[in-house]
């Protein structure tokens, strides 16, 4: 069984974290990880999460299994956050939500659903995209294709190329769109562009799957749903994969959801009956704790308002670091234009640094960036900015 097994290749990003931890340099900087860090370099537990946990500890009276689709109160709160209170999609019950173990789990359940019910459907991923998208869908037996996204010359969206790609997608296929804060580029379509994308998808007969892992980290919890809502004006059927890892800081609590929007309540419930089976054959039912936290915070008006402020704190810190980074490089006399970093949103940006420059930063300055040049802006702090920008200037 085991003699001929060869060691699996390490995950490139997690392998960098191991190297970073082993680096004895006290001034080391980690811009490779996929978690938010505050100005002291910590990944904090939100105050609202702490308060919710206290209440849960006092009130929880059972550790019985959750239903396959999770806690109904949580699912209702997920929908309200996605579509806004009173949205027709909610009142008409055209949406059905299943609580899932993380955004990753939601993506996998969607992949299993596609593989079982639409075995010929391929999923189209932006070029580039989060590295796990490929592996999650391939593991579920769904073939992945690429559509054009980033313009390497401008570090912006190559919208014409994106539209041209969409026009080649066969009817019946699925396109994965990042709801906001595109990972890894930080480049998002404008609401006008979302509307055009929606029209094209209707023309082509292509179903969107919106991966919504960063709601609140771009321009605001409500502002960030603008793209999704534009899409929903055009498209009647779609999948949404939500994650609360980033905006609630619930990384290890595995808190996500898969939402299906359908033509009618009846259709949504039929589709969800099939989603349930995929869940049943995979992990049976979701973990509870993270979902309870989210439901507790979002069901309490005061806690919800406080959470909005905490998310604003995360978002503002990231956006401040974007400005400080560009300003500091300019002040140090770096000619290369990095102003695109200010226009991008979310935790990540493609820095445009080459692999050779990335390796020099690692070897000479203990600055850890993934080989593609993707940086986690949340790894920057006012304290490490000078050292970071001096090092970047020296390798440019
Ligand atoms: C684009 C994207 N989708 C989904 C996820 C999944 O998030 P999680 O599984 O932590 O909820 C991530 C996490 O980094 C992501 O960047």
């Amino acid at each position: 069984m085991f003699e001929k097994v060869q060691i699996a290749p390490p995950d490139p990003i997690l392998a960098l974290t191991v190297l970073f931890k082993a680096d004895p340099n006290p001034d080391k900087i980690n811009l490779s990880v996929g978690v938010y860090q505050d100005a002291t370099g910590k990944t904090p537990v939100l105050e609202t999460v702490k308060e919710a946990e206290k209440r849960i500890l006092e009130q929880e009276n059972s550790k019985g299994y959750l239903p396959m689709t999770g806690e109904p109160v949580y699912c209702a709160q997920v929908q309200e956050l996605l579509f806004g209170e009173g949205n027709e999609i909610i009142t008409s019950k055209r949406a059905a939500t299943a609580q899932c173990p993380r955004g990753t789990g939601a993506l996998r359940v969607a992949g299993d659903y596609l593989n079982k019910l639409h075995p010929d459907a391929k999923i189209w991923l932006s070029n580039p995209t989060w590295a796990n998208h490929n592996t999650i869908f391939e593991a579920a037996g769904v073939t992945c294709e690429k559509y054009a996204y980033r313009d390497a010359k401008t570090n912006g969206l190559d919208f014409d190329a994106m539209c041209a790609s969409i026009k080649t997608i066969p009817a019946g296929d699925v396109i994965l769109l990042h709801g906001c804060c595109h990972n890894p580029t930080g480049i998002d379509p404008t609401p006008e562009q979302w509307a055009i994308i929606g029209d094209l998808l209707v023309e082509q007969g292509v179903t969107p799957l919106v991966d919504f892992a960063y709601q609140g980290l771009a321009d605001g919890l409500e502002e960030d749903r603008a793209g999704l809502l534009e899409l929903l004006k055009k498209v009647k059927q779609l999948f949404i994969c939500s994650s609360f890892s980033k905006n609630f800081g619930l990384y290890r609590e595995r808190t996500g959801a898969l939402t299906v929007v359908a033509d009618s309540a009846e259709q949504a419930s039929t589709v969800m009956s099939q989603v349930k089976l995929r869940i049943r054959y995979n992990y049976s039912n979701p973990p509870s704790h993270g979902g309870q936290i989210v439901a507790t915070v979002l069901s309490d008006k005061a806690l919800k308002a406080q959470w909005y402020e905490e998310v604003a704190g995360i978002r503002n810190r990231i956006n401040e670091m974007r400005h400080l980074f560009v300003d500091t490089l300019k002040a140090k006399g770096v000619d290369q234009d990095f102003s695109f970093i200010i226009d991008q949103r979310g935790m990540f940006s493609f820095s445009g640094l080459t692999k050779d420059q990335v390796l020099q930063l690692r070897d000479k300055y203990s600055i850890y960036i993934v080989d593609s040049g993707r940086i986690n802006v949340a790894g920057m702090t006012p304290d490490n900015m000078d050292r970071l920008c001096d090092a970047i200037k020296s390798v440019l």
Side-chain angles (χ1 to χ4, degrees):
M1 182 61 72
F2 300 138
E3 289 82 351
K4 291 187 183 148
V5 177
Q6 305 204 335
I7 193 141
D11 178 279
I13 298 181
L14 298 184
L16 265 188
T17 307
V18 174
L19 283 181
F20 175 79
K21 281 191 178 149
D23 189 333
N25 185 340
D27 296 323
K28 60 190 175 180
I29 300 172
N30 192 357
L31 302 185
S32 68
V33 286
V35 296
Y36 173 75
Q37 294 171 337
D38 64 17
T40 66
K42 292 208 183 68
T43 302
V45 182
L46 301 188
E47 289 298 321
T48 45
V49 168
K50 279 275 177 219
E51 175 57 30
E53 284 183 315
K54 264 193 230 153
R55 295 187 192 177
I56 293 164
L57 200 63
E58 278 164 18
Q59 290 161 16
E60 191 174 52
N61 55 14
S62 173
K63 292 285 185 192
Y65 293 123
L66 288 184
M68 278 177 260
T69 50
E71 184 56 64
V73 179
Y74 168 85
C75 293
Q77 292 296 352
V78 168
Q79 290 190 9
E80 207 173 292
L81 202 59
L82 286 174
F83 310 121
E85 201 181 340
N87 187 303
E88 171 276 328
I89 293 171
I90 299 177
T91 51
S92 65
K93 298 191 167 45
R94 284 204 293 124
T97 297
Q99 180 177 348
C100 291
R102 307 176 43 168
T104 300
L107 289 163
R108 175 59 195 247
V109 172
D112 287 345
Y113 174 89
L114 289 176
N115 178 256
K116 184 70 187 174
L117 284 108
H118 300 277
D120 297 330
K122 294 196 279 292
I123 188 153
W124 293 69
L125 309 173
S126 61
N127 183 21
T129 193
W130 183 44
N132 280 7
H133 280 149
N134 262 290
T135 47
I136 291 168
F137 285 103
E138 274 170 12
V142 182
T143 304
C144 300
E145 298 282 356
K146 286 181 191 161
Y147 64 90
Y149 196 76
R150 172 178 174 255
D151 182 343
K153 280 191 226 99
T154 62
N155 267 304
L157 178 62
D158 192 341
F159 190 60
D160 290 343
M162 181 184 183
C163 292
S165 284
I166 292 176
K167 288 180 188 161
T168 70
I169 304 181
D173 279 3
V174 175
I175 184 170
L176 187 149
L177 299 161
H178 298 225
C180 66
C181 305
H182 183 275
N183 180 6
T185 66
I187 305 163
D188 292 330
T190 61
E192 294 73 30
Q193 289 170 331
W194 276 99
I196 297 170
I197 293 168
D199 283 331
L200 283 178
L201 296 179
V202 173
E203 268 166 42
Q204 294 292 123
V206 172
T207 306
L209 183 157
V210 177
D211 186 2
F212 218 0
Y214 298 90
Q215 187 175 359
L217 269 65
D219 296 308
L221 282 155
E222 286 162 22
E223 291 81 347
D224 289 356
R225 57 167 96 110
L228 174 67
L229 295 184
E230 282 301 327
L231 205 57
L232 283 165
K233 283 184 198 158
K234 318 278 176 173
V235 175
K236 288 275 173 285
Q237 301 179 4
L238 52 63
F239 302 95
I240 306 162
C241 295
S242 307
S243 164
F244 295 108
S245 298
K246 309 290 176 345
N247 53 15
F248 264 92
L250 287 175
Y251 302 90
R252 66 175 64 164
E253 301 298 355
R254 301 150 51 85
T255 317
L258 173 63
T259 297
V260 173
V261 179
D263 292 353
S264 64
E266 194 189 350
Q267 192 182 61
S269 130
T270 305
V271 172
M272 193 43 69
S273 73
Q274 291 289 346
V275 168
K276 264 191 208 169
L277 282 193
R278 309 313 26 113
I279 291 171
R280 179 78 183 142
Y281 303 153
N282 191 338
Y283 52 83
S284 257
N285 45 53
S288 165
H289 189 64
Q292 275 186 288
I293 294 171
V294 170
T296 303
V297 172
L298 297 184
S299 307
D300 180 303
K301 224 172 157 200
L303 269 186
K304 185 174 174 180
Q306 192 185 343
W307 174 66
Y308 266 55
E309 278 174 27
E310 289 190 290
V311 177
I314 292 173
R315 177 175 67 246
N316 293 342
R317 191 185 107 62
I318 293 173
N319 289 338
E320 278 162 22
M321 287 306 102
R322 289 184 176 280
H323 280 273
L324 188 61
F325 178 63
V326 173
D327 292 348
T328 310
L329 285 173
K330 218 184 270 170
K332 289 186 185 295
V334 170
D335 292 335
Q336 197 168 313
D337 182 17
F338 280 95
S339 58
F340 61 89
I341 301 264
I342 292 176
D343 301 328
Q344 297 174 352
R345 284 291 173 270
M347 294 206 320
F348 302 111
S349 269
F350 256 6
S351 61
L353 293 167
T354 64
K355 186 171 173 189
D356 182 52
Q357 290 163 342
V358 165
L359 292 178
Q360 285 187 57
L361 286 171
R362 198 178 307 162
D363 295 341
K364 289 193 200 156
Y365 301 100
S366 299
I367 294 171
Y368 291 77
I369 295 175
V370 288
D371 289 356
S372 63
R374 184 197 81 164
I375 49 176
N376 177 359
V377 181
M380 298 178 187
T381 66
D383 288 344
N384 69 22
M385 194 60 83
D386 261 326
R387 199 176 108 68
L388 172 67
C389 292
D390 282 335
I392 289 180
K393 185 180 176 188
S394 79
V395 302
L396 283 176

